[in-house]
Amino acid sequence: MNIGIASERSGLPSKTIRYYEDIGLVRPARTGSGYRDYSPIDIHELRFLQRARSLGFSVDECRQLLSLYQDRNRESADVKAIAEAKVAEIDRKIAELASLRRLLNHLVEHCQGDDRPDCPIIDELAGEGTAH
Amino acid sequence: MNIGIASERSGLPSKTIRYYEDIGLVRPARTGSGYRDYSPIDIHELRFLQRARSLGFSVDECRQLLSLYQDRNRESADVKAIAEAKVAEIDRKIAELASLRRLLNHLVEHCQGDDRPDCPIIDELAGEGTAH
DNA sequence: CTACGGGTTCCAGTAGCTGGAAGGTCAAGC
DNA sequence: GCTTGACCTTCCAGCTACTGGAACCCGTAG
């Protein structure tokens, strides 16, 4: 499966896929003529990377996440600890997205068409120092 | 309130805060001697940016999000449409995080200490083409 | 065998910071 | 008033994670 198809199936531009190979994330096989040849597993790893990157994980974090299921000897407590830390991080991100969503929704519902100088959201935000 | 405090309260490094001023996101007042002077509203905008950036929104998207509550005349349907699109995007991100979380959790629970050559997760992933 | 839509490498540029140098500000203590 | 040290300023260079472009190679269809 060459890079165009891999791009289509993973949702990543070819450029990015080549870059991920450069930095050692997903290393496809090569055909006799030098074309990259992606396996279904490669594709899933690329999809996984696409998801994780779009959700705010750094490339290095993605490398960790990726190693979690690339690692055939998933026996160490270290690996489990990393996975659990990532799960906690994901939970935090979900909570923050939910709060961001509430904020925007509130905005849409309560402020639209309102031309008073101060919006209730702004007031609420300006009133406190550390919350959310 | 000068930049050190702003950094502390927003969770953003001073460097980043100055950068955000450079690109026109949050423009604080200045004291007579040239120090940046952040208002509570500025702080909330910085916190907002910190959250949104860490959740994978680009700086340009953050600029849009920010304008939603900076805009005193929030009357246009355009603005509402942007906010609603962002809410949809957030929902998508939440769903993806949830799926990523399930994946990792499954991994932690079912693969740990397993030294068979193939992990159930890998098998499952390799088996399908387009789904989650 | 030529066209052309892929692929390849390499190099340069962009976005979003991040570190460091060189120097100005301010409150505390002598 | 003067010094010290933490904190501020600008500016410039470097880094991460791509992204675009040039120049060239591969493979199939006509």
Side-chain angles (χ1 to χ4, degrees):
Chain A
M1 197 155 24
N2 53 20
I3 200 166
I5 311 289
S7 167
E8 224 172 79
R9 301 220 177 145
S10 66
L12 288 168
S14 307
K15 282 278 186 185
T16 302
I17 296 179
R18 289 196 195 94
Y19 173 70
Y20 286 168
E21 183 182 358
D22 280 356
I23 62 172
L25 283 181
V26 176
R27 305 171 168 286
R30 295 282 182 140
T31 67
S33 59
Y35 279 27
R36 288 169 180 83
D37 185 17
Y38 291 89
S39 75
I41 287 180
D42 291 334
I43 302 300
H44 279 290
E45 292 185 0
L46 290 173
R47 286 176 58 79
F48 183 90
L49 285 172
Q50 189 279 320
R51 267 200 288 171
R53 288 291 296 126
S54 83
L55 295 170
F57 289 100
S58 75
V59 164
D60 252 33
E61 287 172 327
C62 288
R63 199 187 298 275
Q64 284 180 21
L65 287 166
L66 199 55
S67 77
L68 292 179
Y69 72 77
Q70 279 178 338
D71 189 353
R72 299 299 204 200
N73 310 321
R74 208 168 290 94
E75 53 208 324
S76 84
D78 292 0
V79 171
K80 193 182 181 193
I82 292 174
E84 278 167 351
K86 290 299 170 201
V87 167
E89 204 175 329
I90 288 168
D91 284 344
R92 203 178 36 70
K93 278 176 193 283
I94 288 176
E96 288 186 0
L97 277 172
S99 117
L100 199 55
R101 187 190 197 289
R102 271 195 306 280
L103 186 65
L104 282 181
N105 246 351
H106 186 82
L107 198 98
V108 167
E109 285 166 12
H110 297 286
C111 297
Q112 204 221 351
D114 185 334
D115 57 1
R116 284 176 304 157
D118 294 308
C119 162
I121 295 269
I122 301 280
D123 295 350
E124 180 193 324
L125 286 175
E128 18 108 64
T130 52
H132 279 311
Chain B
M1 194 152 30
N2 53 20
I3 201 168
I5 311 289
S7 167
E8 225 171 76
R9 301 220 177 143
S10 65
L12 288 168
S14 308
K15 283 279 188 186
T16 302
I17 296 178
R18 288 197 195 93
Y19 173 70
Y20 286 169
E21 183 182 357
D22 280 357
I23 61 172
L25 283 181
V26 176
R27 306 172 167 284
R30 295 283 182 140
T31 66
S33 60
Y35 279 28
R36 288 169 179 84
D37 186 16
Y38 290 90
S39 73
I41 286 179
D42 291 333
I43 301 300
H44 279 290
E45 293 186 0
L46 290 173
R47 287 176 57 79
F48 183 91
L49 286 171
Q50 188 280 319
R51 266 201 286 172
R53 287 291 296 128
S54 83
L55 296 171
F57 289 99
S58 75
V59 164
D60 253 32
E61 288 172 327
C62 288
R63 200 187 298 272
Q64 285 181 20
L65 288 165
L66 199 55
S67 77
L68 293 180
Y69 71 79
Q70 279 177 338
D71 189 352
R72 300 301 205 198
N73 311 323
R74 208 169 291 96
E75 53 209 322
S76 85
D78 292 0
V79 171
K80 192 182 182 192
I82 292 174
E84 277 166 352
K86 291 298 168 197
V87 166
E89 205 175 329
I90 288 168
D91 285 343
R92 204 178 35 69
K93 279 177 192 279
I94 288 175
E96 287 187 0
L97 277 172
S99 119
L100 199 54
R101 188 191 196 287
R102 270 195 305 280
L103 185 67
L104 282 181
N105 246 352
H106 187 82
L107 198 99
V108 166
E109 284 166 13
H110 298 285
C111 297
Q112 204 220 352
D114 186 333
D115 57 1
R116 282 177 305 157
D118 293 309
C119 163
I121 295 269
I122 301 279
D123 295 349
E124 180 192 324
L125 286 174
E128 21 108 61
T130 51
H132 273 301

